[in-house]
Amino acid sequence: MKAELLYEGKAKQVYRDTEAPDRLILAYKNDATAFNGKKQASFTGKGRLNNEISARIFAYLHEQGIETHFIEKQNETEQLVRQTEIIPFEVVVRNLAAGSITRRLGLEEKTSFTPPIVELFYKDDALDDPLINDQHALLLARITESELREIKEKALTINAALQELFLSINLTLVDFKLEFGRLASGCIILADEISPDTCRLWDIDTQEKMDKDVFRQGTGDLLDVYNVILQRLEDRI
Ligand code: UDP
């Protein structure tokens, strides 16, 4: 049972679970934001789609032996997760160039990265989530060097698993963002969400963008695209 609202972000609300103090309920909202909140809209049904998609992806990662905070989907828009203390940086993994890295480094979109590039961004809206280096991360997140190494290794393992999943539904995983959290035991596990809000996915045949870029760039219908992703995940054998 959900009780107190602990936190409200751009795409989700976080509630305490009254029956289990070490669990949280994530409620996926219909809101979409881009450019650090400068572009906003609401899409009826988006919360359900991202809850479904994220739940399926976390269940797939569990099958691959990757630990996450996900416990179970509770209803159309909510999921039960293990409570963690979120490490205050985003981990972005890039297989192909798109988005901010093309602007920052003057790279052409689709430039391929082998091995994949891992970047860290400090979670601070007032600072516009700046790109940070390892030393900044150690200072700001109060983690050890070996924990940082472990987080990056996990991000690359998750990348390999997700590339395979998306390839099986005819999508290229261009890049994505992860957040990690610390359990009371001290262990660091994957948290937050994995959805077309947090991944760039391109159709292998048509090269069509099948993610939040349709909203960022105003090139298509977000709900249509997210529905296709969910459908393909459901049809996967
Ligand atoms: N991303 C995200 N949340 C953020 C910033 C980025 O989920 O606050 C995801 C984004 O959807 C993309 C990847 O991380 O899949 C890399 O994003 P990028 O740094 O290119 O930033 P963008 O140009 O999307 O703002």
Side-chain angles (χ1 to χ4, degrees):
M1 261 240 321
K2 76 181 180 196
E4 187 198 351
L5 177 65
L6 295 179
Y7 171 80
E8 175 144 12
K10 296 182 192 107
K12 293 188 290 297
Q13 292 171 321
V14 182
Y15 291 89
R16 183 179 303 290
D17 182 344
T18 42
E19 278 145 37
D22 56 345
R23 292 173 181 202
L24 299 173
I25 290 159
L26 300 188
Y28 282 72
K29 305 200 297 185
N30 287 332
D31 299 344
T33 63
F35 313 116
N36 198 15
K38 289 176 200 88
K39 182 169 180 175
Q40 296 186 5
S42 184
F43 298 89
T44 306
K46 173 177 176 283
R48 178 187 72 81
L49 289 165
N50 274 352
N51 185 39
E52 287 276 359
I53 292 169
S54 204
R56 278 174 187 270
I57 292 174
F58 280 130
Y60 164 81
L61 291 176
H62 291 174
E63 284 165 22
Q64 305 301 307
I66 296 162
E67 203 180 350
T68 83
H69 73 158
F70 177 73
I71 300 171
E72 64 185 11
K73 191 163 79 75
Q74 291 213 304
N75 57 46
E76 281 204 335
T77 56
E78 295 178 336
Q79 53 185 249
L80 188 65
V81 303
R82 294 156 83 184
Q83 179 163 26
T84 62
E85 191 191 327
I86 294 293
I87 308 287
F89 54 73
E90 299 180 338
V91 182
V92 168
V93 181
R94 302 182 184 275
N95 296 305
L96 296 175
S100 69
I101 198 169
T102 61
R103 299 187 290 274
R104 191 181 336 113
L105 301 182
L107 295 174
E108 212 171 304
E109 191 173 85
K110 278 194 201 170
T111 305
S112 146
F113 303 129
T114 315
I117 290 179
V118 180
E119 293 178 341
L120 309 177
F121 293 87
Y122 184 40
K123 278 167 65 71
D124 188 320
D125 284 341
L127 297 176
D128 245 351
D129 293 355
L131 176 70
I132 57 173
N133 71 17
D134 288 7
Q135 287 172 301
H136 300 149
L138 296 178
L139 175 82
L140 295 166
R142 279 177 269 129
I143 54 170
T144 65
E145 278 185 58
S146 86
E147 284 173 335
L148 181 57
R149 208 173 317 117
E150 189 195 324
I151 287 172
K152 289 188 186 179
E153 278 165 15
K154 279 189 186 165
L156 289 171
T157 304
I158 292 163
N159 181 44
L162 291 180
Q163 277 186 305
E164 201 170 301
L165 171 70
F166 287 120
L167 179 64
S168 76
I169 57 170
N170 214 38
L171 294 167
T172 302
L173 177 61
V174 174
D175 62 26
F176 59 99
K177 183 265 298 185
L178 299 176
E179 294 188 28
F180 289 85
R182 192 187 289 281
L183 292 167
S185 66
C187 288
I188 295 176
I189 60 169
L190 181 64
D192 195 48
E193 70 174 281
I194 301 181
S195 72
D197 269 11
T198 64
C199 301
R200 284 197 170 89
L201 301 165
W202 294 347
D203 185 89
I204 290 177
D205 296 329
T206 65
Q207 294 296 299
E208 199 187 331
K209 294 182 176 172
M210 308 280 290
D211 54 59
K212 204 167 87 172
D213 271 350
V214 300
F215 168 67
R216 289 192 190 92
Q217 301 172 354
T219 50
D221 185 320
L222 179 142
L223 290 175
D224 284 353
V225 166
Y226 286 28
N227 259 308
V228 171
I229 304 284
L230 178 58
Q231 195 62 56
R232 288 193 196 179
L233 284 170
E234 284 175 353
D235 293 346
R236 197 175 74 94
I237 28 160

